Amino acid sequence: MTRRTLPSLAALALAACATVPQTSRVPAPTPLPVAATPLPTAAHERDMEVARAEFARTTAQRFGIPAAQIEAVLAHAQIRDSIVRAMARPAEAKPWRDYRPIFIQPARIDGGRAFLEENRAALQRAEDTYGVPKEVVTAIIGVETSYGGNKGSYPVVDALYTLAFAYPRSGDPARVAYEDKREAFFRDELAQLFALGKEEGVDITQLKGSYAGAMGWGQFMPSSYRQYAVDGDGDGKRDLFNDLDDVIASVANYFAKKGKWERSGPVMARAARDPGAADFVNPGNAVSLDQTLASLQAKGYRPVDLRFVYTDAGPQATLVTLDGVAGPEYWLVFNNFKAITAYNTSRLYATAVFQLAEAIAGRATDPA
């Protein structure tokens, strides 16, 4: 297959393009472990130099990388206040009525249709192989980077270094455990970045990405790049920065492997609430999938789309409630909705991906 590089789509002028280096792979003789190991006490509670030296030692032991090489990279890394501020106010904190217009708008829909047409063959191969619809893979790339128009301009080393050693703290005692866990997550991703550089022969100091350290057209974190990126065109490389065959196949593989995507399965459906129905108790709008359509109907929530059948043997589901322009919106969500949350845990994100995919495919989306 011919390796494609960046397409020229006029409709993709949704954001300024970031400069991203070419990647070249130097195969590692033995794959390095991906799974995280327990990490030390939160860095903010210790002296920075001590914490950094400890990180270098543990990462060197895990991945067989000289500690001096790690220290040399970290010596030039910067704690960036702009990253701390961005992490402290994510878009997912908005209500659905404000979040939806960011993604479900004409430019992004038109850009998605253009991207799908220009990459139809690769998208069809991915759908045939992994079972993930073309429009869903397209929507992910649209939501993440505006079809490659904005892959991020932060040095990935700086982004992960900042969040690994200076994760924003709210001062709320009830959030200490959560914030410690998030800092440890980014510390592990920084370690995974060093492993990725070793495996793929990439100079990690030249990589650019989001403020959270996500990279490429599909915005993979380093551990996801290592575990789920695939060579989509058989050229011996896994290039998520410049090779759209690899990007498309990798996004679909991620959904199939990590998200457990069900081929031809439902994602979500608008629900109507019966008069007098009690509030559906679902703390945090968790995607627990502990209901069926029949049990939700018994609670007073039924799909608007009558193609869904009320049976206890039907697909496992739950109900999420979103703050819409006209008031609460009730949505039945299924396994493939949960699969999208494997990419980003926000139910707002998953809903935006689904509605953008539907719009790209030419199917009616729920009105704003």
Side-chain angles (χ1 to χ4, degrees):
M1 282 177 263
T2 302
R3 184 180 179 212
R4 296 192 311 282
T5 54
L6 310 185
S8 56
L9 297 173
L12 300 191
L14 303 175
C17 289
T19 301
V20 181
Q22 299 284 330
T23 58
S24 59
R25 186 165 184 245
V26 178
T30 304
L32 300 174
V34 173
T37 57
L39 291 166
T41 305
H44 77 286
E45 297 178 359
R46 295 169 293 136
D47 177 86
M48 174 63 113
E49 292 203 5
V50 172
R52 198 171 72 184
E54 185 175 282
F55 170 85
R57 285 195 302 272
T58 59
T59 301
Q61 292 166 359
R62 287 174 68 187
F63 300 123
I65 302 168
Q69 178 181 327
I70 298 168
E71 285 277 19
V73 171
L74 297 184
H76 296 283
Q78 299 179 40
I79 299 291
R80 294 180 179 252
D81 290 340
S82 59
I83 292 172
V84 174
R85 289 194 298 271
M87 182 57 66
R89 54 173 191 274
E92 284 76 12
K94 298 175 181 287
W96 172 240
R97 60 181 174 272
D98 296 332
Y99 185 88
R100 185 183 192 275
I102 299 172
F103 301 106
I104 316 303
Q105 38 103 333
R108 213 176 292 253
I109 294 168
D110 291 343
R113 290 172 178 167
F115 180 91
L116 193 154
E117 284 305 311
E118 204 161 304
N119 299 282
R120 183 172 289 277
L123 287 160
Q124 188 62 57
R125 284 195 301 273
E127 182 172 338
D128 293 343
T129 302
Y130 302 104
V132 184
K134 295 182 286 296
E135 58 269 19
V136 172
V137 174
T138 298
I140 284 287
I141 296 170
V143 167
E144 289 292 340
T145 62
S146 292
Y147 313 105
N150 183 9
K151 296 188 288 290
S153 58
Y154 289 97
V156 174
V157 170
D158 285 2
L160 294 175
Y161 179 72
T162 297
L163 297 172
F165 295 101
Y167 188 85
R169 299 286 163 167
S170 64
D172 181 353
R175 291 181 59 82
V176 169
Y178 168 79
E179 290 163 356
D180 285 352
K181 182 178 179 180
R182 291 294 287 164
E183 186 175 88
F185 165 80
F186 286 107
R187 204 152 60 246
D188 180 65
E189 289 296 334
L190 180 59
Q192 300 279 353
L193 180 65
F194 281 96
L196 177 68
K198 178 179 179 180
E199 289 173 339
E200 302 293 328
V202 176
D203 180 357
I204 63 173
T205 67
Q206 298 303 304
L207 299 180
K208 299 289 181 66
S210 76
Y211 69 82
M215 302 174 286
W217 284 68
Q219 293 291 277
F220 276 38
M221 295 297 288
S223 62
S224 295
Y225 198 130
R226 296 183 62 222
Q227 194 164 7
Y228 300 110
V230 294
D231 177 5
D233 54 7
D235 67 354
K237 302 171 186 175
R238 302 187 304 168
D239 181 356
L240 302 189
F241 292 96
N242 306 289
D243 189 334
L244 282 173
D245 288 300
D246 292 358
V247 171
I248 289 165
S250 297
V251 170
N253 182 57
Y254 185 99
F255 276 124
K257 298 289 175 59
K258 186 170 185 178
K260 310 300 181 188
W261 186 273
E262 293 178 356
R263 190 183 293 264
S264 302
V267 179
M268 65 190 305
R270 188 69 181 265
R273 178 177 178 171
D274 292 344
D279 290 343
F280 182 77
V281 179
N282 184 12
N285 272 338
V287 188
S288 52
L289 303 183
D290 55 359
Q291 303 287 323
T292 63
L293 289 174
S295 69
L296 288 167
Q297 181 193 22
K299 297 177 189 297
Y301 298 89
R302 64 188 70 236
V304 173
D305 187 341
L306 298 180
R307 291 175 297 174
F308 286 90
V309 180
Y310 303 115
T311 66
D312 283 317
Q316 294 300 109
T318 193
L319 187 97
V320 298
T321 304
L322 304 176
D323 296 320
V325 172
E329 296 179 9
Y330 305 104
W331 290 89
L332 307 170
V333 300
F334 307 97
N335 178 77
N336 286 346
F337 183 89
K338 188 172 185 177
I340 299 174
T341 67
Y343 215 98
N344 181 313
T345 59
S346 167
R347 66 191 184 280
L348 303 184
Y349 175 94
T351 305
V353 168
F354 170 73
Q355 290 195 7
L356 180 58
E358 292 291 282
I360 289 167
R363 294 186 285 268
T365 58
D366 193 72

